[in-house]
């Protein structure tokens, strides 16, 4: 039975996930496959490369750096997250990503993107992070705050637009025993966004505009499926007990540490239960 790890996004809420994943690394927890959306993909990549502490380290160090993210980058480049800095200078020079360990890992790693033309989710298997970094970037490129990411003639944005928590997709791929890390507490329901925004920003991509307008519906249906699967013992869910007190695009390093610590403590709290869950036949 193949084991899987499913990672929700959520902008800087995802630093909660990084805390949980570091506990997994400290305890030698591994999976046959990892699938991540947006920030979940970012932190999941460092999990597969076995770089404990990397996410919180560079987030705290650079979150106030205008090259990392901010309004200046958004106004000057169209991307709130600095593309060259975050996806090249940082992983290639400043806090080097261990691509060799990633490529040698038996764990398959998938990044979820949304096809801007069709509005469909794309589950891309990344085998070389340096060569396929644009899929990771696309997965984490928030609508409205990012330019579309063009790869091989197709345009992509944040995977969370089409599939925020790709549990069903992973199950269809054959991953039957899954651990799911969420960044919202139990009972959270997504509210509709202002419908006119997508009509203005993505008027030339009507299919993508439509999924943004109905994203709350698909998200809430996903949460119902996750809740039922958890109740039936088919999956193990790790989530914060209450809403995380952090902005979606937070740049306060102390707040980053606080939310990371919440995830880390939650990871410690459930680690033995996760071991038992993964060992069950």
């Amino acid at each position: 039975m193949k084991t899987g790890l499913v990672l929700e996004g959520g902008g800087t809420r995802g630093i909660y996930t990084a805390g949980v994943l570091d506990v997994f690394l400290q305890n030698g927890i591994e999976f046959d496959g990892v699938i991540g959306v947006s920030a979940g993909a970012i932190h999941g990549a460092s999990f597969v490369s076995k770089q404990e502490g990397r996410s919180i380290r560079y987030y705290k160090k650079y979150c106030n750096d205008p090259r990392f993210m901010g309004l200046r980058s958004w106004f000057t480049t169209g991307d709130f997250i600095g593309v060259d800095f975050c996806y090249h200078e940082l992983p290639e020079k400043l806090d080097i990503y261990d691509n060799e360990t990633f490529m040698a890992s038996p764990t398959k790693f998938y990044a979820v993107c949304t096809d801007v033309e069709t509005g469909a989710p794309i589950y891309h298997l990344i085998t070389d992070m340096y060569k396929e970094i644009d899929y990771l970037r696309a997965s984490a490129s928030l609508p409205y705050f990012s330019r579309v990411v063009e790869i091989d003639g197709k345009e992509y944005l944040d995977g969370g637009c089409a599939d925020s928590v790709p549990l069903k997709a992973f199950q269809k791929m054959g991953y039957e025993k899954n651990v799911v890390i969420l960044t919202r507490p139990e009972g959270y329901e997504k509210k509709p966004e202002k419908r006119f925004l997508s009509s203005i920003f993505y008027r030339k991509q009507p299919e993508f505009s439509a999924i943004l307008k109905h994203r709350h519906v698909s998200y809430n249906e996903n949460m119902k499926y996750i809740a039922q699967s958890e109740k039936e013992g088919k999956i193990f869910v790790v989530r914060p007990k209450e809403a995380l007190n952090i902005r979606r695009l937070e740049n306060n390093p102390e707040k980053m540490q606080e939310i990371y610590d919440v995830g880390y403590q939650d990871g410690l709290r459930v680690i033995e239960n996760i071991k038992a869950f993964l060992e069950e036949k």
Side-chain angles (χ1 to χ4, degrees):
M1 183 179 293
K2 291 201 298 185
T3 60
L5 176 62
V6 182
L7 306 173
E8 184 182 16
T12 46
R13 284 200 318 274
I15 204 66
Y16 169 88
T17 299
V20 178
L21 294 180
D22 279 351
V23 175
F24 287 6
L25 285 172
Q26 290 170 0
N27 284 269
I29 301 295
E30 296 184 345
F31 299 87
D32 296 310
V34 174
I35 189 166
V37 179
S38 194
I42 297 291
H43 301 309
S46 290
F47 173 73
V48 177
S49 65
K50 298 185 182 299
Q51 291 178 273
E52 179 191 334
R54 180 173 183 268
S55 290
I56 186 60
R57 181 175 63 241
Y58 75 72
Y59 261 77
K60 286 180 66 178
K61 186 172 183 178
Y62 296 111
C63 66
N64 268 316
D65 191 317
R67 298 172 298 171
F68 187 79
M69 66 178 178
L71 291 176
R72 189 172 82 179
S73 176
W74 190 33
F75 290 143
T76 58
T77 70
D79 289 297
F80 194 89
I81 306 298
V83 172
D84 289 339
F85 183 79
C86 291
Y87 296 101
H88 294 289
E89 187 173 355
L90 198 160
E92 294 170 11
K93 298 178 182 178
L94 300 178
D95 199 319
I96 296 175
Y97 182 75
D98 189 348
N99 197 41
E100 289 187 8
T101 296
F102 173 84
M103 290 192 295
S105 173
T107 299
K108 294 185 180 298
F109 178 80
Y110 297 82
V112 184
C113 311
T114 300
D115 186 316
V116 174
E117 180 181 0
T118 66
I122 303 298
Y123 309 101
H124 182 78
L125 173 63
I126 296 179
T127 57
D128 185 324
M129 191 59 70
Y130 279 171
K131 290 182 179 180
E132 299 171 85
I133 191 70
D134 281 345
Y135 283 100
L136 194 69
R137 175 164 71 94
S139 183
S141 291
L142 299 172
Y144 312 120
F145 291 94
S146 310
R147 294 172 295 170
V148 296
V149 179
E150 185 172 331
I151 307 172
D152 296 332
K154 293 191 174 184
E155 296 180 336
Y156 302 103
L157 279 173
D158 183 1
C161 301
D163 194 350
S164 297
V165 188
L167 173 61
K168 289 182 181 179
F170 225 28
Q171 290 173 330
K172 288 180 181 178
M173 291 184 206
Y175 295 92
E176 301 173 79
K177 185 177 282 291
N178 292 287
V179 173
V180 180
I181 302 181
L182 304 177
T183 58
R184 298 285 197 182
E186 187 173 8
Y188 171 80
E189 290 189 9
K190 185 178 285 293
K191 306 300 181 185
E193 66 175 54
K194 294 179 173 60
R195 297 170 68 89
F196 71 89
L197 284 176
S198 65
S199 297
I200 294 173
F201 276 81
Y202 302 107
R203 60 187 180 279
K204 295 182 179 180
Q205 295 95 8
E207 298 296 331
F208 184 70
S209 176
I211 67 161
L212 291 179
K213 292 175 183 177
H214 298 95
R215 180 162 51 163
H216 65 291
V217 176
S218 59
Y219 181 89
N220 293 336
E221 288 177 349
N222 227 342
M223 289 302 105
K224 290 179 181 178
Y225 177 76
I226 287 172
Q228 184 62 34
S229 298
E230 182 183 21
K231 183 178 179 180
E232 294 171 356
K234 296 178 180 178
I235 64 174
F236 192 104
V237 180
V238 185
R239 57 164 72 85
K241 292 182 177 179
E242 54 189 36
L244 298 173
N245 182 25
I246 189 170
R247 296 176 295 173
R248 186 173 180 83
L249 296 170
E250 182 66 65
N251 66 345
N252 182 337
E254 293 181 358
K255 182 60 68 174
M256 293 282 192
Q257 183 68 57
E258 175 187 324
I259 301 305
Y260 170 88
D261 289 344
V262 173
Y264 187 84
Q265 291 302 319
D266 281 355
L268 290 177
R269 177 174 53 82
V270 300
I271 191 63
E272 295 304 323
N273 292 334
I274 287 178
K275 290 178 182 178
F277 171 76
L278 294 174
E279 289 171 359
E280 288 176 357
K281 301 298 183 184

